[in-house]
Each structure stands twice: as C-alpha cells, then as structure tokens.
C-alpha cells in the first residue's frame, strides 16, 4: 500500500507539472503575439504618415482642379483604412498585455514592463523528425502518467493476493486458571477464505491493467502523429518567412529604388511612388506576421514534444 501511495503521489506531481507546462507555453504564445503587434504598430504608424501625406496632397490637388473626386476619395479611403488598422493594433496590444499580466500573475502595479519589439530570427536549422519522436516518447507528461498508472495497478495486485483475505490478527491474551494463576501469552487468529480469496478483484485489476496498456499504445501513436503534424506546419511557416525575408522584401526595396529613379525624371506620379512605399510597409507587416506564425508553431511543437525543444 505504501508503494501504491508513492506511485499515486508521482502521478499527482505529473498532473501539476502538466498544468505548469501548459501555462508556460501559453505565455510564450502570448509573448510572440505581443511582439508582433508592437512591430506592426511601428510599421502602421509609418503607413498612416504616408497615406496622410497622400491624402493631404490629393486634397490640395483637388482644390486646384488637377484630380477628380474619385482619386481624392481613393486616397482618403487608404488613409482611413491605415488609421483604423493602427487603432485595431493598439487595442490588440492593450489586450495582450493584460492577458500576459494575468498569465504571469502580476498585479496592475507590477505591469510596468517592456519587451523587445522585434521577434527573434529563424534558427539555423531544426531537429530531425526521428529525434523529436524519441524526445516526445521520453518526456511527454501524459505518457509518463499512464506508465505510472500501469505501475500502480501492478502494485495493487499484491494487495489482492489470497493471504490478504485471511484477516490475520496477532495479540496478547491473559486468563486465570483454576489454581488462580494468571497466564499471559500470544494469540494468532485468521480467517479461512473458502469462497472469496480475491478472484474478482484480481480479475478486475487485470482488466484495468490491459486497458491502461492499450491506452498507452494508442497515446504513443497519437503523440507521434501530433509531433509530425507540428513539425510539418513548422517547416511550412519557416519556408513562408524565408520567401518574405529573402525574396519579397528585397524585391520591394528594388521597386522603391526604381520608382524613385522614374519619379526623378517625371516618369512616375507622386501617388504611385507613395503607393509603392506603402506596399513595402505592408510587405514588412506580413513578414512580421509570418515570423509570428513560425514561433507560435514552434511553441506547438514544444507542446507536442512535451517540453522546450533544445538543439
């Protein structure tokens, strides 16, 4: 019974550790989301500044009769869209800060903290699927809990042996004989379990043991599949970040440089030049979102493996 109780204590510890791990991973996800929104905030402020300049220029040109109402309305629409997106991001930052405070258990007076605006870059490479599978099978807390459950049931079998039903009792008894002499001595009594000597209890434990073993096998299959899905999603997001970082953002910079050259020789309107700069800002925002998706999928991989993946 002491061994069973010790195993149950270990199971309780794994349950608590699982809750702690889930909170830690949730903190990471919220942290990356907050960093992304802060990055977006800076880019959107530049976007609002650019669209505001376009709108003000359009207002002056419309007053001079150089453009029609539709062109002015389009510029105003772009400015209002950027302004609304900036407001939305500001609200999201406030929401994420509150959520992070709650997860960290901080009081409002302790909420004066700051984090870097920029997300970390991509790691050089990733762990192989085989290593991640082995890591998951060795450190997943729910699997460890089931292994302890199998151990606990096996230990309980010792409490259901036939001798456990004999109800033994050991003691000391005393009596006075016919000569008036008091006699003390040990006593031993036991029941004879003719019919109930634990057959049903042992059969029930055997069924529970087989059930737990099958649950563990099923969980192993699910864990390996979860790790594979998370790793595939990680590779997809990594490739997306690479396209933005290595191809799309550099292309936008080239477009800006070429547009500036055409504008200098009056081969491009000022609105088109500003629009190309705004598209570059949009590309940087999408790059930040793609980088966030990568790090969130990295957290999902940590969750699938059962802990932080370290190379």
């Amino acid at each position: 019974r002491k061994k069973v109780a010790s195993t149950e204590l270990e199971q309780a510890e794994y349950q608590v550790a699982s809750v702690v791990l889930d909170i830690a991973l949730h903190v990471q996800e919220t942290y990356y989301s907050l960093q992304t929104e802060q990055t977006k905030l800076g880019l959107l402020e530049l976007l609002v500044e650019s669209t505001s300049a376009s709108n003000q220029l359009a207002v002056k040109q419309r007053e001079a009769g150089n453009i029609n109402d539709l062109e002015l309305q389009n510029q105003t629409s772009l400015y209002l869209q950027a302004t609304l997106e900036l407001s939305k991001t500001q609200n999201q930052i406030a929401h994420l800060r509150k959520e992070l405070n709650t997860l960290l258990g901080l009081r409002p007076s302790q909420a004066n903290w700051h984090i870097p605006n920029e997300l970390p870059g991509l790691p050089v490479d990733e762990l192989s699927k085989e290593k991640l599978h082995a890591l998951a099978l060795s450190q997943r807390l729910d699997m460890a809990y089931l292994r302890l459950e199998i151990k606990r049931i096996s230990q309980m079998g010792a409490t259901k042996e036939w001798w456990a039903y004999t109800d033994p009792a050991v003691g000391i008894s005393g009596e006075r004989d016919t000569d008036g002499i008091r006699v003390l001595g040990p006593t031993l009594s036991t029941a004879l379990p003719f019919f109930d000597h634990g057959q049903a209890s042992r059969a029930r434990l055997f069924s529970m043991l087989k059930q737990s073993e099958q649950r563990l096998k099923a969980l192993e299959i699910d864990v390996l599949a979860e790790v594979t899905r998370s790793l595939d999603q990680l590779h997809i997001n990594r490739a997306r970040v690479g396209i933005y970082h290595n191809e799309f953002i550099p292309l936008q910079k080239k477009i800006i440089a070429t547009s500036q050259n055409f504008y200098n020789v009056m081969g491009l309107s000022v609105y088109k030049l500003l629009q190309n700069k705004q598209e570059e800002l949009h590309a940087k925002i999408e790059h930040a979102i793609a980088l966030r998706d990568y790090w969130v999928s990295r957290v999902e991989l940590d969750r699938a493996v059962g802990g932080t993946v370290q190379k």
Side-chain angles (χ1 to χ4, degrees), residues 44-112:
L44 285 171
E45 287 174 346
L46 294 175
L47 185 61
V48 169
E49 182 180 342
S50 176
T51 55
S52 175
S54 298
N55 184 59
Q56 292 175 12
L57 179 61
V59 170
K60 293 180 180 179
Q61 288 193 333
R62 180 67 189 95
E63 292 173 352
N66 295 330
I67 62 173
N68 56 40
D69 288 338
L70 180 59
E71 292 176 335
L72 172 60
Q73 291 165 0
N74 286 333
Q75 295 301 322
T76 304
S77 176
L78 292 174
Y79 167 66
L80 293 177
Q81 288 177 13
T83 302
L84 290 172
E85 190 65 26
L86 177 63
S87 177
K88 180 181 177 182
T89 298
Q90 290 170 336
N91 289 333
Q92 186 67 6
I93 288 175
H95 170 74
L96 290 172
R97 285 186 66 89
K98 290 179 181 178
E99 183 177 356
L100 202 53
N101 284 334
T102 302
L103 290 171
L104 296 174
L106 298 178
R107 299 175 180 175
S109 59
Q110 300 172 310
N112 189 24

Side-chain angles (χ1 to χ4, degrees), residues 135-176:
L135 192 60
L137 294 177
S138 65
Q139 71 177 21
R140 277 282 293 245
L141 295 175
D142 49 356
M143 294 185 66
Y145 180 89
L146 268 182
R147 293 190 187 102
L148 286 175
E149 180 68 9
I150 293 172
K151 179 181 178 181
R152 185 183 71 86
I153 295 173
S154 300
Q155 291 171 336
M156 288 179 63
T159 66
K160 303 300 180 182
E161 297 294 342
W162 66 269
W163 46 263
Y165 292 81
T166 58
D167 193 19
V170 178
I172 299 176
S173 66
E175 62 179 16
R176 190 183 300 275

Side-chain angles (χ1 to χ4, degrees), residues 229-248:
R229 288 194 302 269
S230 299
L231 183 60
D232 290 343
Q233 187 62 53
L234 185 75
H235 287 312
I236 292 172
N237 291 334
R238 183 186 181 94
R240 187 162 133 244
V241 173
I243 292 174
Y244 275 108
H245 184 267
N246 300 323
E247 299 179 46
F248 196 56

Side-chain angles (χ1 to χ4, degrees), residues 46 100 108 112 127 132 164 169 200 222 230 276 290 311:
L46 294 175
L100 202 53
N112 189 24
L127 285 176
L132 290 171
D222 291 342
S230 299
N276 289 340
K311 295 184 67 62

